[in-house]
């Protein structure tokens, strides 16, 4: 399907070079989909771990449930290699 651009309010069809450049841009964006998705997961994971860091100070003993929760957060990206897997991640529930 041909692509068009607006120049001074006039619809003009892309040249072959513009089509090739746009195809390359779209391919590069699609190739980065996993990297963008996993970066979001890592950001959320890091925030959740940071929210419980004060419990892991040397003068405090972590409960088994909290230790398990924090380890599950660290392991959440293990084996995740596709965008579909990223979208299917189930986040662990923080213990009380």
């Amino acid at each position: 399907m041909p692509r068009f651009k607006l120049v001074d309010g006039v619809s003009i069809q892309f040249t072959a070079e513009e089509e090739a450049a746009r195809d390359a841009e779209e391919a590069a964006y699609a190739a980065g989909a996993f990297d963008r998705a996993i970066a979001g997961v890592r950001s959320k994971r890091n925030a959740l771990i940071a929210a419980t860091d004060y419990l892991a100070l040397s003068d405090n003993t972590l409960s088994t449930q909290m230790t398990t929760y924090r380890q599950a957060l660290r392991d959440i990206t293990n084996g995740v290699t596709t965008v579909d897997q990223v979208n299917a991640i189930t986040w662990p529930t923080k213990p009380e």
Side-chain angles (χ1 to χ4, degrees), residues 11-89:
S11 183
I12 300 173
Q13 187 171 348
F14 276 21
T15 63
E17 293 82 19
E18 290 170 326
E19 285 283 353
R22 183 64 182 159
D23 288 342
E25 288 172 356
E26 289 177 359
Y29 184 78
F34 174 75
D35 293 334
R36 288 188 303 277
I38 201 71
V41 169
R42 287 183 178 129
S43 178
K44 180 177 178 177
R45 176 205 55 201
N46 293 345
L48 291 172
I49 290 173
T52 62
D53 278 349
Y54 73 97
L55 297 170
L57 296 174
S58 63
D59 63 341
N60 193 16
T61 302
L62 280 178
S63 68
T64 304
Q65 295 88 353
M66 186 57 71
T67 301
T68 302
Y69 169 72
R70 288 171 56 90
Q71 188 61 51
L73 288 173
R74 283 188 213 94
D75 295 341
I76 202 138
T77 58
N78 290 354
V80 177
T81 58
T82 66
V83 174
D84 289 337
Q85 289 174 329
V86 169
N87 294 335
I89 286 176

